[in-house]
Amino acid sequence: MDKIKLIIWREFITRVRKPSFLIMTLLGPVLIAGGILLTMYIASTESTTHHVLVIDPEGVIGTRLKDTEDVKFLIDGQNWTDSAFKASPYTVRVNLLPNVLNVPQADLYYKTLPSEFAMSTIRNELEKAIELAKLRDANIDKEAYDRVRKPLDLKKFDIEEVNTQSFAQERALIGFFFGYFMFIFIFMYGVQVMRGVMEEKQNRIVEVLISSVKPFQLMMGKIIGIALVGLIQFVLWIIITTTMLGAGTAAIASNKFDAKQLAEQGVTADVQAQLEKAQGGQGASFDQEELLGPLRQLNIPLILGVFLFYFIGGYLMYSSLLAAIGSAVDSETDTQQFMFPVTIPMVAAIIIAQMAVYNPESPAVFWSSIIPLTSPIVMMVRVAMGSAPAWQLLLSMVLLVATFIGTTWLAGRIYRTGILMYGKKVSWKEMGKWLFYKG
Amino acid sequence: MIEAQGITKRFGDHTALEDVHMTVPEGQVFGLLGPNGAGKTTLIRIITRITGPDEGRVLMNGRPMTDADVAHMGYLPEERGLYKKMKVGEQALYLARLKGMSKAEATKRLKERFDRWDMGDWWNKKVEELSKGMAQKVQFITTVLHEPRLLILDEPFSGFDPINAELVRTEILNLRDQGVTVMLSTHSMPSVEELCDNIGLIDHAHVMLHGNVRDIRRRYAENIFRVEYTGNRVAMANALSFTGELIGSTEDGDHGTARIRLGKGCTVNDVLRQLLPAVQVRGVQEEIPRMHDIFIRVVSETTPEQVTAGMTE
């Protein structure tokens, strides 16, 4: 047992010490958090204020459009020539086409392309104004119209838990995120196991090692050592990413929505609300329940527990198969034909997991959440969604454990023959024979 | 003492070893010989317990070998290497600890050994910075560091320059003198003659020759004697008459050397009795075949058909 600990230690420490580990550990969160923060930052800052000239020859739009901080409107009934527009301080010109009430179309000319955010403000304001004009034309009361147009708030309840609103879909998305993460980690570290095995074979150190330890110890030591590297990296990623996101969003928020600053600029609470509304998309009111509801409904300890279980189980299963492949081949190029059948179920799992988000009760989703090759990823979605009964979860877990015991046994038998086999093109048939060689 | 008893090993349809019996005496150097692919490495892997035999067993000092015995073995495989990215000292330490040595003990012995073999400043070098010969030295050290009772070396001299090969040769003899049993697999026949007390020769999965090197060489002797003489060659050849057949000779003025094969039922004394009146005999020596020649004879004379027909000893 001491020997396997030594092997685990070596596999762990040599990888953690590598500069690439440090780079990956830092780069991952920087890319994830950086990407999110950058989009948030770009969305929150508009470098230029757009002065929009709206050409409205038919006088469709009433007196004025609501200005925002970034977009100021001016309405003119006269047509402006291009050269006049170019010479003017206006940055954007919108020509409402004739008969805009029946054929809703307008042309937008710009000097500098407005951001997507500014563009949606312009579109929203114009749409609202045109809508009002149409209502006026048709003699419809604005309030009556608003009442008619109010969307149906369809709240979902699980009959077993009538007191709480169900956010199954939203939770499924979170589950999918976990599943996707698992996919990447299993694959990344499984391939590292394969590479490690091949390295030992190519270095010709493997026979020296197995004169001291059993091949199975060597294989398991490598698999466990690399799993520890993966877990450490995973934990570090989560810590660094959340810290960076927390600090980053706080910085951006204080930069943008500084209430005092807004007050100084004479922006009223009304406009602030308007601003938030615009950011939330097409007139969607900011509903705290909608955002926090799914999170509150997630059984976080269960999800994390299930994640850890399926991650370890799935990793053991796939990495032992990949270790067997690594032991059987002489070079990286020979791995292709063997990698293919191993990657297929993983990719299938991701596709089915995506399907599970929208159609959790389909038979394909059910079966693939039970069958061990795909169950880690698909079951993750079902558990997050709460659509997997306990017996199914248990069955899937037991099958996974049984399978990874089976695959490690199988891999161990291929491995101990494969690592000593040089210069031989190996086929599936050949590997099958190895299973029956005597110790 | 290591005894292989009736070892048979098959890989699918291929038979690597069949009913192999071999005895490696304690405290001696044993040469395991045979052409490539004969089954030597398979036999070594069975003795080192890397693989198990299909039939037969290996005894160590009269009792069946167990996994615990592996701790008292040092094995330098033919296919050997080191982790390229690891530091020399760290790696040697790792390999020593896998053999069951404590960290402190292994460090102490390694430092001492590195100093003795002029490798003091290698400790923090990466293996990829070492030359092939240097890496071989590190590998040899890690093989013997835990003071094994049984040392198995597969082609130990390949890759060494003459100076380091000599270092290893001396080390092998030193260890033998300390009572270590050494099993040496090599294609270098001069090394076999120089180092080995006993040999076993495997070909086509069978033991073809087994026993003491001197005995074997004598057994393959063909009753050829080398006689150095002064005098006339023709007189010498005529004097031989039926006691021996002249199969070769060289002359240098009056001095000559003749290779004579003894006639049927004759001894070297009979030959000398005939020669003494004719020429002046300056020296006589029996020609004992080299291991090299014996190896080639044995291996080229056996075909797989003969082996399966039961031509083994």
Side-chain angles (χ1 to χ4, degrees), chain A residues 327-371:
Chain A
S327 75
V329 299
D330 277 345
S331 68
E332 184 101 39
T333 44
D334 294 339
T335 59
Q336 301 302 331
Q337 56 157 328
F338 299 112
M339 285 286 282
F340 189 62
V342 175
T343 32
I344 287 281
M346 288 196 87
V347 175
I350 275 294
I351 294 168
I352 295 170
Q354 232 160 340
M355 220 165 89
V357 173
Y358 299 103
N359 190 4
E361 303 298 343
S362 94
V365 171
F366 167 75
W367 285 110
S368 58
S369 71
I370 301 293
I371 294 168

Side-chain angles (χ1 to χ4, degrees), chain A residues 3 17 200 204 207 211 439, chain B residues 52 75 79 81 83 90 98:
Chain A
K3 287 183 183 175
R17 261 200 228 136
E200 278 171 358
R204 303 290 198 262
E207 198 168 349
S211 68
Chain B
Y75 173 35
E79 298 282 4
Y83 290 112
E90 198 178 31
L98 279 185

Side-chain angles (χ1 to χ4, degrees), chain B residues 164-179:
Chain B
N164 283 327
E166 192 51 42
L167 199 65
V168 170
R169 194 166 286 132
T170 314
E171 187 68 25
I172 291 173
L173 293 175
N174 276 344
L175 288 165
R176 182 199 62 187
D177 294 343
Q178 289 162 27

Side-chain angles (χ1 to χ4, degrees), chain B residues 228-254:
Chain B
E228 285 172 44
Y229 63 92
T230 311
N232 186 284
R233 194 188 82 94
V234 180
M236 189 269 306
N238 288 337
L240 271 178
S241 73
F242 58 88
T243 57
E245 182 196 348
L246 185 68
I247 53 171
S249 65
T250 53
E251 286 94 35
D252 181 13
D254 265 358

Side-chain angles (χ1 to χ4, degrees), chain B residues 29-36 40 44 78 153-158 169 183-193 195-196 199-200 295:
Chain B
V29 180
F30 182 90
L32 181 62
L33 315 181
N36 292 327
K40 284 173 294 171
I44 289 177
E78 185 180 6
L153 308 170
D154 201 346
E155 290 295 345
F157 305 114
S158 73
R169 194 166 286 132
M183 200 169 172
L184 186 70
S185 170
T186 179
H187 288 312
S188 154
M189 292 304 139
S191 310
V192 173
E193 286 170 16
L195 294 171
C196 297
I199 59 138
F295 183 96

Side-chain angles (χ1 to χ4, degrees), chain B residues 16-172:
Chain B
L17 294 171
E18 190 167 352
D19 195 30
V20 166
H21 291 265
M22 212 174 260
T23 307
V24 182
E26 182 89 11
Q28 296 192 353
V29 180
F30 182 90
L32 181 62
L33 315 181
N36 292 327
K40 284 173 294 171
T41 303
T42 306
L43 182 61
I44 289 177
R45 282 176 184 166
I46 288 170
I47 293 173
T48 51
R49 301 186 72 78
I50 286 172
T51 48
D54 294 340
E55 287 159 37
R57 57 181 188 163
V58 181
L59 301 184
M60 193 179 212
N61 300 327
R63 53 165 185 81
M65 206 181 247
T66 63
D67 279 347
D69 291 321
V70 171
H72 305 293
M73 269 184 219
Y75 173 35
L76 186 68
E78 185 180 6
E79 298 282 4
R80 51 187 176 247
L82 297 165
Y83 290 112
K84 288 198 175 63
K85 303 279 174 196
M86 252 177 127
K87 284 179 182 158
V88 173
E90 198 178 31
Q91 179 149 203
L93 204 56
Y94 173 65
L95 293 173
R97 290 180 72 194
L98 279 185
K99 277 286 177 198
M101 292 177 76
S102 74
K103 193 175 181 181
E105 180 67 20
T107 313
K108 201 185 111 216
R109 283 197 211 168
L110 274 172
K111 295 261 188 206
E112 185 247 359
R113 183 64 82 135
F114 272 39
D115 284 342
R116 188 141 59 86
W117 277 17
D118 298 325
M119 300 156 61
D121 54 341
W122 292 12
W123 194 271
N124 280 320
K125 272 193 181 154
K126 275 192 181 170
V127 170
E128 56 192 352
E129 297 169 40
L130 300 184
S131 71
K132 198 183 169 202
M134 289 159 98
Q136 296 268 37
K137 252 165 123 176
V138 175
Q139 285 158 356
F140 189 83
I141 288 175
T142 55
T143 311
V144 298
L145 195 75
H146 61 293
E147 297 180 346
R149 301 304 305 154
L150 171 63
L151 188 61
I152 299 177
L153 308 170
D154 201 346
E155 290 295 345
F157 305 114
S158 73
F160 279 108
D161 61 40
I163 292 172
N164 283 327
E166 192 51 42
L167 199 65
V168 170
R169 194 166 286 132
T170 314
E171 187 68 25
I172 291 173

